[in-house]
Amino acid sequence: MLSIKNLSRPGLGPIDFTLAGGKAMAIVGPSGAGKSLLLRALADLDENDGDVWLDGEDRADIPAPEWRKRVAYVAAESGWWADDVGRHFDDLEAARKLLDQVNLNENALTWPVSRLSTGEKQRLSLIRTLIGKPQVLLLDEPTSALDDDSKERVEALIRSLVADGVSLIVVTHDKSQVQRLGARVMTLKNGQEVTP
Amino acid sequence: MNTVFVPLGYVDLALASLLLLFSGLLSIYLRLGLEKRLGIAALRMVVQLLLIGMVLKLLFALVSPLWTGLAAAVMIGLAGREVMARQKRRFSGLWTYGIGTTSLMLAGSIVTVLALTTQIRPEPWYDPRFAIPILGMILGNTMNGISIGLDRLMNAAVNERSAIEARLALGHDRARAFRPQVRDACRSGLIHIVNAMSAAGVISLPGMMTGQILAGVDPTEAVKYQILIMFLVAGSTGLGTLTAVMFAVRRLSDSRHRLRLDRIENETTHTKE
C-alpha cells in the first residue's frame, strides 16, 4: 500500500492518495500539468515535501537508492551510460527472459545502444527496471513510441505484474489504455488534482 | 665540466624583443589585428616577471616561515581563481572557487611538504628558494588538471542528465551513478601530465631541466631533478583532480542521491578564451 499525503514541490500539489498493492492508477491531463513531476516526486528524484509511506514504512526512513528499487520510475526518455546494451543490466539472464514478452529480438542485449530505435529503448528501459522486482511501478508514457503489436505485449506484461500484486502508476494520453489496464484515473491540471 | 653561468644584460633582452617586434610588424602587414594583444601580453609578461624577481629575491633573503607561507597562500588563492575563471558552468555561490582552491591547497601542500621534508631536504625545510619554485611548478600543473576535470564533469552532469538519472532511478547510489562521468573527468584532467611524461626528453626538454643546464648544472643531475619534479607534479595533479571531482560530485547530488543541477548557475558567457 502506497500512501501519499500533502506531496508537493514547485509546480505540483499538494497531492493526496492511496494505492493498494495489485491496483493501477492512471494520471492524465494536459501537457505541463505536472504528471511527470508527480512521478519524479514519488521516486524522490527531485526535492519535494510531504509524507510518503509504503506498507507502513516512512520514505524518510529508507535510504533513497533502496526506496527507488522498491518504487521504480521509468522515464519517458530513457537514459544510457555505456555503449553496449548489455552493460546496462545487472542480471543478463533475467533480462533475456523478458525480451520476448516485450516483443524484442533475443539478441537485443548484445546490440550497441546507438542502433536502438526509440521504441526499443523504451522497452529495454522497462525491462531494466523490472529486473529489480519493484513493488510500485511509475511509468511515464511507457508505450508512446510502440507499434500496436508491441504495445499489446507490453500492456499484457504490465497487467500480469499488477495481477501479481505490483502497484502501478502510469502517465498516459491514451484513454483506451487506461481501460485496458483497469486503472482508476487521477486528472491533473496546473499541478493540482481536478475532477474531470 | 665547465659550470659557467652566463648572466644576461638588459641589452640582450632588448635584442631578443626585436623578434616580438618583428611578429608585431608581420601582424600589421597581414592585418591580423594581433599586434595590440601581442604587445600588451609581452608588456604584462615583462612587468610580472620583473616584479616576481624582486619579490623572490626579498623572500629568499628573509627565509621566514611566515612570509613563505603567505606567498604560498597567495599563489594558491590565485590558482583557485584561475580554476574558476576557466569553467563554462559554475556552481552558484562560491562553491566552484571553494572546491578548486581547497583541492589545490590539499594536493599542493601535501606534495610540496613531502618533497621538501623527505627528498630535497633543504635547511630549514621551508627555505623559500626551494619551497616557492617547487610549489609554483606543482600548482601550475595541478591547476590545469583540476580546471579541465571540473569543466568536464560539470558539462557531463548537464549533458548526460538522463543517463545519470536513469541510474539513480534504478537504485544506484550517487557514486555509482556518476562513475562514467567521474572516470572521464579524471582521465581528461590527467591527459596533460601523461603526455608531458611521455614526451619528456624525447620530444621536449622540460623547462626546469633546461634552466638548470643553462645555469651550469651537470645534465645527469638536472635530469634527476626533472624526474623528481615530474613525479611530484603527476602525484599532485592526480590527487588534486580526484579531490576536486569527488567534491563536485557531492555538490552535484544530495543526501537523497538526487541530481542537483539547480545548484549550477546558467551557462556563463564570460568564459576565458
Side-chain angles (χ1 to χ4, degrees):
Chain A
M1 168 88 83
L2 184 68
S3 313
I4 313 299
K5 210 166 169 51
N6 286 325
L7 184 71
S8 66
R9 53 149 291 163
L12 179 77
I15 303 273
D16 300 89
F17 69 85
T18 57
L19 184 67
K23 294 288 178 194
M25 181 167 86
I27 301 170
V28 300
S31 297
K35 305 186 294 292
S36 300
L37 290 185
L38 174 56
L39 293 193
R40 289 178 58 90
L42 290 171
D44 210 4
L45 281 167
D46 295 319
E47 275 195 301
N48 61 90
D49 293 314
D51 295 318
V52 181
W53 299 72
L54 180 62
D55 295 339
E57 267 189 278
D58 189 346
R59 181 176 71 179
D61 297 333
I62 303 174
E66 175 63 31
W67 174 260
R68 294 189 193 113
K69 279 181 187 156
R70 291 164 69 176
V71 180
Y73 166 66
V74 183
E77 189 198 332
S78 59
W80 305 87
W81 57 88
D83 290 342
D84 298 319
V85 171
R87 289 188 57 196
H88 296 84
F89 292 82
D90 287 335
D91 185 344
L92 284 171
E93 205 42 56
R96 214 165 280 130
K97 284 178 187 157
L98 286 168
L99 286 174
D100 182 54
Q101 294 193 53
V102 295
N103 207 19
L104 275 173
N105 187 294
E106 56 179 347
N107 295 319
L109 296 176
T110 62
W111 293 345
V113 170
S114 56
R115 68 161 276 188
L116 297 177
S117 71
T118 313
E120 285 164 345
K121 281 185 187 164
Q122 203 164 32
R123 283 171 283 166
L124 284 165
S125 74
L126 176 66
I127 292 183
R128 192 167 69 181
T129 301
L130 294 184
I131 291 172
K133 299 202 185 310
Q135 281 173 264
V136 180
L137 255 185
L138 310 170
L139 304 182
D140 199 343
E141 301 192 42
T143 59
S144 58
L146 303 186
D147 58 53
D148 288 344
D149 193 24
S150 300
K151 189 191 280 190
E152 226 169 83
R153 303 278 276 274
V154 168
E155 283 178 2
L157 174 62
I158 294 172
R159 272 199 306 270
S160 74
L161 291 167
V162 174
D164 286 345
V166 170
S167 304
L168 169 72
I169 303 179
V170 59
V171 166
T172 181
H173 288 287
D174 182 347
K175 290 210 173 77
S176 59
Q177 185 171 58
V178 177
Q179 287 179 345
R180 288 195 298 275
L181 293 174
R184 76 177 215 241
V185 174
M186 174 190 269
T187 308
L188 285 185
K189 202 174 172 189
N190 297 325
Q192 306 287 335
E193 185 178 1
V194 292
T195 39
Chain B
M1 181 85 202
N2 290 330
T3 53
V4 192
F5 170 67
V6 187
L8 295 175
Y10 287 103
V11 181
D12 304 321
L13 298 183
L15 268 174
S17 76
L18 288 178
L19 293 170
L20 184 83
L21 208 63
F22 176 71
S23 299
L25 289 174
L26 209 62
S27 162
I28 294 172
Y29 178 68
L30 296 172
R31 299 183 188 195
L32 298 177
L34 283 172
E35 61 277 2
K36 204 173 153 193
R37 270 201 266 178
L38 261 177
I40 290 174
L43 201 68
R44 265 192 70 168
M45 181 268 291
V46 170
V47 172
Q48 283 170 195
L49 288 181
L50 287 178
L51 279 176
I52 199 65
M54 287 193 269
V55 170
L56 288 178
K57 193 162 185 172
L58 196 67
L59 274 177
F60 292 178
L62 286 171
V63 197
S64 135
L66 181 70
W67 285 106
T68 309
L70 199 67
V74 169
M75 287 161 73
I76 291 170
L78 288 176
R81 227 196 63 179
E82 196 62 26
V83 166
M84 186 174 75
R86 291 191 199 173
Q87 301 300 312
K88 183 169 148 200
R89 300 175 200 275
R90 299 174 192 166
F91 288 116
S92 46
L94 280 173
W95 280 94
T96 302
Y97 181 74
I99 289 172
T101 310
T102 309
S103 313
L104 275 167
M105 192 157 63
L106 192 83
S109 50
I110 288 178
V111 174
T112 306
V113 170
L114 188 82
L116 289 174
T117 52
T118 63
Q119 291 126 42
I120 305 173
R121 278 176 296 185
E123 195 53 52
W125 69 268
Y126 54 81
D127 185 348
R129 192 165 76 81
F130 294 89
I132 297 295
I134 285 175
L135 180 67
M137 277 188 285
I138 287 174
L139 281 183
N141 286 280
T142 308
M143 179 183 87
N144 275 334
I146 291 177
S147 51
I148 293 169
L150 275 184
D151 191 56
R152 191 80 179 219
L153 180 78
M154 302 287 279
N155 283 320
V158 174
N159 297 331
E160 295 164 33
R161 172 189 176 163
S162 63
I164 296 168
E165 287 204 322
R167 301 195 83 166
L168 293 173
L170 285 167
H172 297 183
D173 62 27
R174 52 179 159 174
R176 196 170 162 209
F178 272 99
R179 201 166 290 155
Q181 289 75 21
V182 164
R183 199 178 291 151
D184 202 42
C186 288
R187 192 186 294 141
S188 305
L190 289 178
I191 276 181
H192 171 79
I193 185 66
V194 170
N195 286 346
M197 286 197 287
S198 313
V202 187
I203 304 164
S204 68
L205 283 186
M208 190 212 65
M209 188 179 113
T210 312
Q212 281 195 324
I213 292 173
L214 288 178
V217 174
D218 184 314
T220 54
E221 287 303 313
V223 160
K224 273 196 261 174
Y225 251 88
Q226 187 62 50
I227 291 173
L228 173 71
I229 294 295
M230 282 285 189
F231 281 145
L232 299 181
V233 161
S236 171
T237 306
L239 184 63
T241 306
L242 191 69
T243 308
V245 167
M246 294 322 279
F247 269 136
V249 165
R250 300 287 292 189
R251 186 65 192 158
L252 281 168
S253 56
D254 62 21
S255 60
R256 292 296 290 175
H257 301 259
R258 305 177 185 115
L259 178 61
R260 296 296 301 271
L261 296 182
D262 55 306
R263 289 173 174 168
I264 301 181
E265 277 179 2
N266 288 334
E267 209 170 305
T268 47
T269 45
H270 43 267
T271 310
K272 267 197 175 177
E273 290 300 322

